[in-house]
Amino acid sequence: MKFICNDCVLVFETHGKLGPRKIAYCPNCGDNVATTKYSTPLKESKRRGWSEEELELLKRCITGELMIYAVAAKLGRTSKSISRQIHRLKKNETRLIDGAWTIQEEQIIRDHLDKFGPQKGLYKDLANKLGRTKNQVSCKLYHMRKKGMLEY
């Protein structure tokens, strides 16, 4: 069974029987009065959006102020939905370039390869330098090689 301590907002699990009184003690603060049974909310039939207050709590999760399960319990959402939304927020913050490649980007790739050659971590280095994903860089290098624009 899972329990949540309302004082220190810790979700913990007990194994086996609790005994005749069925009391669970928080492993963090040792309190038994503030513990309640914890269960993730049932899945709702309709999706609902994220309010500004909820997004602020998620941003506090990203900075490390709050734990995911604590926010999930407070908002009445599953920890999986919280994790997914945090992932989306992080992804949107990076704002990677999408679309056609410029001549300048192709020149940066050529210069980088001339300077360092094919090496381990090439895609990652170029992706960070260009603000693109590793997959985009990998595909671009493949096409540049195929067209004869690269010798490597």
Side-chain angles (χ1 to χ4, degrees):
M1 295 177 83
K2 286 189 175 183
F3 289 89
I4 185 167
C5 178
N6 299 329
D7 288 341
C8 57
V9 194
L10 175 75
V11 176
F12 60 95
E13 194 168 350
T14 59
H15 301 283
K17 295 183 179 180
L18 291 175
R21 293 186 179 177
K22 297 186 180 181
I23 297 174
Y25 292 92
C26 175
N28 193 26
C29 65
D31 195 1
N32 69 336
V33 177
T35 58
T36 54
K37 267 189 181 178
Y38 174 76
S39 63
T40 55
L42 296 175
K43 193 172 187 178
E44 295 179 6
S45 59
K46 293 183 180 179
R47 292 182 181 181
R48 59 184 174 140
W50 294 86
S51 68
E52 289 299 320
E53 295 83 25
E54 289 175 327
L55 292 174
E56 285 300 318
L57 286 174
L58 294 180
K59 288 176 185 173
R60 289 178 60 194
C61 264
I62 293 172
T63 59
E65 292 178 48
L66 296 172
M67 300 299 289
I68 290 174
Y69 56 81
V71 174
K74 186 172 186 174
L75 298 179
R77 294 183 181 255
T78 63
S79 56
K80 189 173 187 177
S81 70
I82 299 291
S83 297
R84 284 183 177 167
Q85 188 62 23
I86 286 174
H87 177 73
R88 286 185 202 111
L89 287 173
K90 285 181 180 178
K91 188 176 179 182
N92 288 341
E93 283 180 1
T94 56
R95 297 184 196 272
L96 297 172
I97 298 172
D98 202 14
W101 287 78
T102 63
I103 296 170
Q104 291 84 3
E105 287 176 320
E106 291 176 354
Q107 188 60 44
I108 289 171
I109 290 173
R110 281 191 217 97
D111 292 343
H112 187 85
L113 283 170
D114 289 340
K115 188 174 183 181
F116 300 107
Q119 62 183 10
K120 186 176 181 182
L122 172 68
Y123 298 150
K124 184 178 179 183
D125 293 342
L126 283 171
N128 289 337
K129 195 180 247 187
L130 298 170
R132 293 191 176 258
T133 64
K134 289 191 300 185
N135 189 41
Q136 286 174 323
V137 172
S138 169
C139 291
K140 184 61 180 176
L141 284 172
Y142 172 78
H143 288 290
M144 286 176 78
R145 285 185 193 116
K146 193 173 178 183
K147 290 180 181 179
M149 298 169 73
L150 290 178
E151 300 169 6
Y152 300 101

